């Protein structure tokens, strides 16, 4: 894969778009080459665009120019899908947020991990019960598809019993529910030691499914406060269970698999646009689709070069095909 600077003439000379393709390390060094090629997002062969929501807004505000750029792409007939690892929002809530900020969205073009997790279980005809480390949006997604669950809400040791003995007694006083055949871990503001005991116990049983919405280590913020992400919660379960979960969100393939089956998306005609190498760009690599890194979010070109020069073969693969300063730039040339 090469680190290329792309200057594209599309839909007439007035519709020029500057994108960049990445050059990987070849004979001990990297170059930047200039070449003319078809515009990756609006060329006729590219019909579907999957977007990580981090490229469209910061906090509760749309990045200027992004709603207009996305609307223009939709008018060109491109299929737009919003793909988010956020398990604390339902599809309806994400669609509402998009529309409130001026982005064209409806229920069918929103893909979130709460819904994907429930759909995954439904499609495999799961009939057992789920032990869920999660939130009300995940519960709503399971309810919608008729999947039974337990574990939602607080589950803590009483303050008067807060000692090692109070949790050690679970070895003898707590009996796992034999109906539970799956552990599903997502964002849970009520994560506790008791939940860790129960989830790890169920997950350690190789006959049970072990699913996680995502493994994002932290949530993006605009200040110095660190907000641990779902990956931090997943770690409290998978480490004692000594087992890796099947990831429903990015960078796994479950989201694109659903889009392929339900909406007919084709890998060769789809591009993944995102701001994170570990989730968005890695999803593109894992699904065999083109990817574009947008530099208004988590990662920058320094991180790309680190991946290119890494001793880890997997990291060297997680490099986008293109990059752009802001998604809003598209609107100036379409």
């Amino acid at each position: 894969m090469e680190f290329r600077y792309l200057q594209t003439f599309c839909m007439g000379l007035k519709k020029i778009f500057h994108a960049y393709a990445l050059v990987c390390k070849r004979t001990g060094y990297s170059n930047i080459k200039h070449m003319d090629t078809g515009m990756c997002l609006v060329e006729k062969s590219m019909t579907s665009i999957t977007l990580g929501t981090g490229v469209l807004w910061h906090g509760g505000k749309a990045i200027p120019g992004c709603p207009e750029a996305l609307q223009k792409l939709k008018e060109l007939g491109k299929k737009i899908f919003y793909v988010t690892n956020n398990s604390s929002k339902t599809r309806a809530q994400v669609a509402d947020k998009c529309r409130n900020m001026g982005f064209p969205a409806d229920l069918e073009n929103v893909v979130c991990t709460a819904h994907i997790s429930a759909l995954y279980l439904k499609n495999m005809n799961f009939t057992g019960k789920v032990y869920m480390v999660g939130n009300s949006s995940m519960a709503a997604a399971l309810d919608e598809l008729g999947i039974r669950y337990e574990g939602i809400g607080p589950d803590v040791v009483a303050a008067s019993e807060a000692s090692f003995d109070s949790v050690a007694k679970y070895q003898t006083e707590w009996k796992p529910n034999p109906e539970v055949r799956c552990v599903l871990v997502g964002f849970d503001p009520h994560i506790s030691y008791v939940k860790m005991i129960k989830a790890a116990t169920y997950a350690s049983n190789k006959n049970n499914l072990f699913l996680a919405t995502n493994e994002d280590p932290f949530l993006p913020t605009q200040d110095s406060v660190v907000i641990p992400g779902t990956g931090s919660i997943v770690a409290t379960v998978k480490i004692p269970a000594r087992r890796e979960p099947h990831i429903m969100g990015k960078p796994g393939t479950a989201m694109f698999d659903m889009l392929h089956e339900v909406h007919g998306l084709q890998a060769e005609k789809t591009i993944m646009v995102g701001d994170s190498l570990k989730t968005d760009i890695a999803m593109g690599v894992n699904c065999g689709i083109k990817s574009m890194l947008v530099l208004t979010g988590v990662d920058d070109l320094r991180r790309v070069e680190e991946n290119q020069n890494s001793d880890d073969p997997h990291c060297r693969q997680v490099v986008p095909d293109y990059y752009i300063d802001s998604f809003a730039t598209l609107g100036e040339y379409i």
Side-chain angles (χ1 to χ4, degrees), residues 6 18 24 40 42 51-52 74 80 94 100 128 133 142 146 162 177 196-197 203 236 247 258 291 298 304 312:
L6 301 177
H18 293 283
C24 68
C40 63
V42 300
L51 287 157
K74 185 176 181 180
I80 308 296
V94 174
N100 289 339
V133 179
L142 293 176
N177 183 348
M196 291 162 56
I197 291 172
T236 68
I247 304 301
M258 185 278 288
S291 63
V298 175
V304 173
D312 184 342

Side-chain angles (χ1 to χ4, degrees), residues 5 68 71 77 97 127 133 156 180 215 228 234 245 253 271 284 312 328:
Y5 175 84
E68 295 79 6
Q71 184 61 49
K97 182 174 182 177
T127 58
V133 179
V156 299
V180 170
E215 289 191 291
V234 174
T253 64
I271 187 165
D312 184 342

Side-chain angles (χ1 to χ4, degrees), residues 139-165:
L142 293 176
D143 284 334
E144 184 179 355
L145 296 182
I147 298 171
R148 298 178 301 138
Y149 59 88
E150 62 181 60
I152 190 74
D155 190 0
V156 299
V157 175
S160 60
E161 299 179 355
S163 67
F164 177 77
D165 290 341

Side-chain angles (χ1 to χ4, degrees), residues 32-193:
I32 297 180
K33 297 179 180 180
H34 175 278
M35 61 188 300
D36 294 329
T37 188
M39 181 175 162
C40 63
L41 282 179
V42 300
E43 64 180 345
K44 292 181 180 179
S45 64
M46 198 63 67
T47 61
S48 307
I49 302 167
T50 55
L51 287 157
T53 52
V55 310
L56 302 176
W57 60 67
H58 286 154
K61 296 183 179 179
I63 297 173
C66 286
E68 295 79 6
L70 207 55
Q71 184 61 49
K72 289 181 179 180
L73 285 170
K74 185 176 181 180
E75 291 170 359
L76 288 174
K78 307 305 174 184
K79 295 179 181 178
I80 308 296
F81 294 93
Y82 303 92
V83 181
T84 175
N85 271 357
N86 187 349
S87 67
S88 69
K89 302 294 183 183
T90 64
R91 288 193 300 164
Q93 289 170 329
V94 174
D96 285 345
K97 182 174 182 177
C98 288
R99 288 192 294 267
N100 289 339
M101 287 190 284
F103 296 103
D106 56 42
L107 205 61
E108 292 305 308
N109 64 345
V110 172
V111 187
C112 61
T113 51
H115 175 68
I116 285 293
S117 299
L119 190 63
Y120 179 85
L121 292 170
K122 184 69 173 180
N123 287 346
M124 67 184 304
N125 298 315
F126 179 79
T127 58
K129 202 170 188 180
V130 175
Y131 181 79
M132 181 170 61
V133 179
N135 55 74
S136 59
S137 293
M138 293 170 63
L142 293 176
D143 284 334
E144 184 179 355
L145 296 182
I147 298 171
R148 298 178 301 138
Y149 59 88
E150 62 181 60
I152 190 74
D155 190 0
V156 299
V157 175
S160 60
E161 299 179 355
S163 67
F164 177 77
D165 290 341
S166 65
V167 293
K169 69 181 183 182
Y170 276 84
Q171 294 181 72
T172 56
E173 296 184 12
W174 174 69
K175 300 298 181 184
N177 183 348
E179 288 189 284
V180 170
R181 308 304 296 166
C182 172
V183 177
L184 173 59
V185 183
F187 179 74
D188 188 344
H190 299 295
I191 184 64
S192 66
Y193 201 81

Side-chain angles (χ1 to χ4, degrees), residues 291-309:
S291 63
M292 172 177 278
L293 181 69
V294 180
L295 304 180
T296 54
V298 175
D299 286 317
D300 54 23
L301 295 182
R302 178 183 58 82
R303 295 296 301 273
V304 173
E305 292 188 18
E306 287 177 2
N307 274 17
Q308 291 176 319
N309 298 321

